[in-house]
Amino acid sequence: DSRLPLRGRNVLVTAGPTQEPLDPVRYLTNHSTGKMGYAIAEQARNMGAKVTLVSGPVSLQAPHGVDVVNVRSAQEMFQAVQGAFEASDITIMAAAVGDFRPAEQAAEKIKKNGRERITLELVSNPDILAWAGANRREGQTLCGFAMETQDLEKNAAKKLTSKHCDMLIANDLRTPGAGFATDTNVVTVLRPGANAEQPHVEHWRKMSKRELAERVLTELAGLH
Ligand code: C5P
């Protein structure tokens, strides 16, 4: 069915930021709003897919007809993805996962206690997309995102290969119309090329996150 190109397929999407708890009242997070990932989940549903959306804390409405798994931390997101990945045909990771979390979560609220300076120790979080890339089986399609502030293509190319993705969608935080809270995006799309040093690169014009979602899903639907 050309109007439902994803009918019968399972699509797994991650979206939003993560929250990494410091104590019972505080956490580390980032500016992700979840708009890109939610647009992808909605569009995949519209295209006929059975959609699982693993979402960090956002203020967006859960899309109708989409199976939403709400998580907070990167570790929780990792668990949710591990549970859903096996059944997934097309996996798209649009979440802005915290790279680090506090090494310890204080049981009680951290007090000033007259201190002028305290040190926070952070430990690295699991890279969920890299795990999926390492554990993907034949026929599974994998797409990652990358937000960069410098050397966009070079950094994105590295992620495409190191995380074993079929597609990597990169945007520059500082490009007008791209980035976190906007309804539009301006992206560079990378696909594996003849060798790791030379991915296939396309620069897409500025478009709504909804249109971008549709174009990305249409390309991914044709891959496997
Ligand atoms: O390396 P970087 O964080 O820029 O990679 C971005 C891509 O990797 C995104 O698709 C993001 O959802 C995913 N990612 C992840 N788990 C992490 C870090 C990033 O799934 N811990």
Side-chain angles (χ1 to χ4, degrees), residues 30-213:
N30 59 65
H31 290 295
S32 172
T33 59
K35 279 184 179 175
M36 191 66 243
Y38 274 60
I40 292 168
E42 279 175 12
Q43 203 59 44
R45 174 206 62 196
N46 293 347
M47 291 164 78
K50 185 178 172 301
V51 182
T52 302
L53 172 60
V54 177
S55 176
V58 298
S59 52
L60 300 172
Q61 284 249 335
H64 285 290
V66 166
D67 197 1
V68 182
V69 183
N70 288 301
V71 299
R72 283 184 116 73
S73 66
Q75 287 175 302
E76 284 173 29
M77 185 172 279
F78 188 32
Q79 279 194 357
V81 168
Q82 284 178 307
F85 185 64
E86 176 71 30
S88 175
D89 299 306
I90 300 175
T91 302
I92 303 166
M93 302 225 182
V97 183
D99 287 330
F100 295 94
R101 66 175 180 273
E104 280 161 35
Q105 185 183 348
E108 308 297 337
K109 185 182 174 196
I110 298 167
K111 308 298 283 180
K112 288 197 284 278
N113 287 343
R115 293 174 294 182
E116 282 298 322
R117 179 187 296 242
I118 62 169
T119 303
L120 192 57
E121 191 182 359
L122 304 177
V123 295
S124 65
N125 270 327
D127 189 318
I128 303 167
L129 178 57
W131 174 86
N135 289 281
R136 58 185 289 188
R137 39 171 184 75
E138 191 90 22
Q140 280 185 310
T141 301
L142 189 59
C143 173
F145 274 76
M147 176 173 285
E148 306 291 345
T149 58
Q150 55 184 349
D151 294 330
L152 180 88
E153 264 180 53
K154 197 166 140 246
N155 286 320
K158 209 184 282 174
K159 286 170 195 179
L160 177 77
T161 42
S162 69
K163 302 192 190 201
H164 304 284
C165 292
D166 299 297
M167 184 183 282
L168 203 290
I169 301 165
N171 64 253
D172 188 320
L173 178 64
R174 299 191 179 104
T175 301
F180 279 125
T182 58
D183 288 312
T184 58
N185 210 343
V186 186
V187 301
T188 301
V189 178
L190 293 89
R191 304 271 321 277
N195 59 64
E197 282 71 49
Q198 279 182 314
H200 177 73
V201 180
E202 288 179 13
H203 300 277
W204 290 9
R205 63 169 169 77
K206 178 168 145 183
M207 63 185 83
S208 68
K209 286 182 174 174
R210 166 194 283 261
E211 183 181 354
L212 176 59

